[in-house]
Amino acid sequence: MRKQIAAANWKMNKTLTEGTTLLNEILSADFNLTENQELLFAIPFPYLINTSSMIEGKENMFIAAQNCHHKVSGAYTGEVSVSMLSSIGIKYCLVGHSERREYFAESNQTLAEKVNLCLAENIKPVFCCGESLSIRDSGNQNEYVGNQLNESLFHLSEEKISNVIIAYEPIWAIGTGRTASAEQAQEMHAHLRSVLATKYGNDVANNISILYGGSVKGANAAEIFSMPDVDGGLVGGASLVAGEFVQVIKGLK
Ligand code: PEP
């Protein structure tokens, strides 16, 4: 069975003290992960080392970076390279969050470079994709999101793509409180899996986790995650409140 994943994305929120308190509250909450379930915490760069030590020895829990640079190293002041992340033991990295695409003009081609560097350093990219409201309203969402996969991922070998996690995040549902219905999420996830199957075959496609993101919270997680092609969620706002995120975790299949 595919990994079922609850991934927290703190974005640019929380001081070190606040973040440490939040993570401690989550870690001390009453939940159990099955062998098949994983938690990811996508944390701001300055806290990656501290928070990694907080989850040391905990099964199926990982700290993720929220971004990385698309070049190996060099004169890119203020940026963080994939090998820097690897050197502090990071195993997961968000790539292509819609906020990065929109505010930092990240293209599908740049994201392909990030994916390549991550995989070369044994970091699993959580590749984010999703359409805007105008694309959804025009009915072209399947083609648009399929093309994001095509341009950023489909140069990968079967072995490499098997280490990618996909997060479908319709932009109109991120931080808006407007969640895609469970049926809308399932429809897109099934489409993406069929696109993956056409390129890589059913075995590969059936083993890639596809997370849903967009206003997931404690009250709607279980319903969305119950869909057959939804393998958990990437969670922003609700991941900043321990009780909410614990409910999201409990909603995993
Ligand atoms: C996100 O940041 O990836 C996200 C889905 O945010 P939110 O849960 O707040 O909509």
Side-chain angles (χ1 to χ4, degrees):
M1 197 190 171
R2 292 185 290 273
K3 290 278 180 217
Q4 303 296 304
I5 301 170
N9 178 13
W10 291 5
K11 312 192 186 191
M12 196 174 72
N13 292 299
K14 303 287 178 192
T15 61
L16 177 59
T17 308
E18 290 165 349
T20 306
T21 303
L22 170 62
L23 191 53
N24 267 327
E25 281 173 7
I26 294 167
L27 296 179
S28 57
D30 180 23
F31 65 86
N32 288 310
L33 296 177
T34 66
E35 207 178 291
N36 206 43
Q37 296 171 338
E38 282 184 357
L39 301 186
L40 303 184
F41 296 93
I43 302 270
F45 287 134
Y47 321 147
L48 289 175
I49 293 180
N50 282 55
T51 48
S52 292
S53 68
M54 288 172 69
I55 61 156
E56 212 174 307
K58 301 218 180 276
E59 292 282 316
N60 296 358
M61 295 188 197
F62 303 92
I63 299 297
Q66 296 177 10
N67 182 36
C68 58
H69 198 258
H70 60 283
K71 298 288 184 200
V72 174
S73 64
Y76 301 101
T77 303
E79 293 296 323
V80 172
S81 73
V82 173
S83 59
M84 290 174 190
L85 297 174
S86 172
S87 73
I88 59 165
I90 295 299
K91 298 280 178 231
Y92 293 83
C93 183
L94 305 188
V95 170
H97 191 282
S98 61
E99 290 151 14
R100 302 283 327 165
R101 292 176 186 261
E102 182 178 353
Y103 305 136
F104 301 93
E106 294 188 353
S107 67
N108 290 339
Q109 288 67 33
T110 307
L111 299 177
E113 293 180 53
K114 294 189 185 205
V115 166
N116 290 345
L117 289 176
C118 284
L119 292 171
E121 294 274 0
N122 290 322
I123 290 178
K124 292 186 179 173
V126 179
F127 178 78
C128 305
C129 55
E131 79 288 355
S132 64
L133 187 57
S134 61
I135 292 170
R136 166 76 45 174
D137 285 344
S138 71
N140 291 327
Q141 67 272 13
N142 285 1
E143 193 185 18
Y144 182 86
V145 182
N147 189 52
Q148 289 180 318
L149 265 52
N150 184 30
E151 293 193 352
S152 297
L153 299 181
F154 282 4
H155 60 285
L156 297 172
S157 65
E158 278 184 22
E159 191 194 335
K160 293 274 188 197
I161 199 152
S162 300
N163 286 311
V164 174
I165 295 162
I166 292 173
Y168 167 61
E169 301 203 299
I171 297 168
W172 45 272
I174 297 180
T176 59
R178 181 181 165 186
T179 320
S181 66
E183 290 72 25
Q184 282 174 316
Q186 169 57 25
E187 192 183 6
M188 176 60 82
H189 285 224
H191 169 66
L192 295 180
R193 207 175 298 289
S194 82
V195 170
L196 287 162
T198 304
K199 173 76 183 170
Y200 293 101
N202 283 330
D203 286 354
V204 171
N206 285 333
N207 275 309
I208 295 179
S209 297
I210 307 180
L211 316 186
Y212 167 79
S215 299
V216 172
K217 53 187 181 189
N220 60 23
E223 186 192 356
I224 298 172
F225 298 170
S226 71
M227 294 289 121
D229 285 292
V230 178
D231 305 312
L234 177 54
V235 185
S239 75
L240 300 174
V241 180
E244 279 291 324
F245 192 61
V246 170
Q247 279 307 114
V248 170
I249 296 168
K250 289 181 176 175
L252 287 173
K253 282 200 279 284

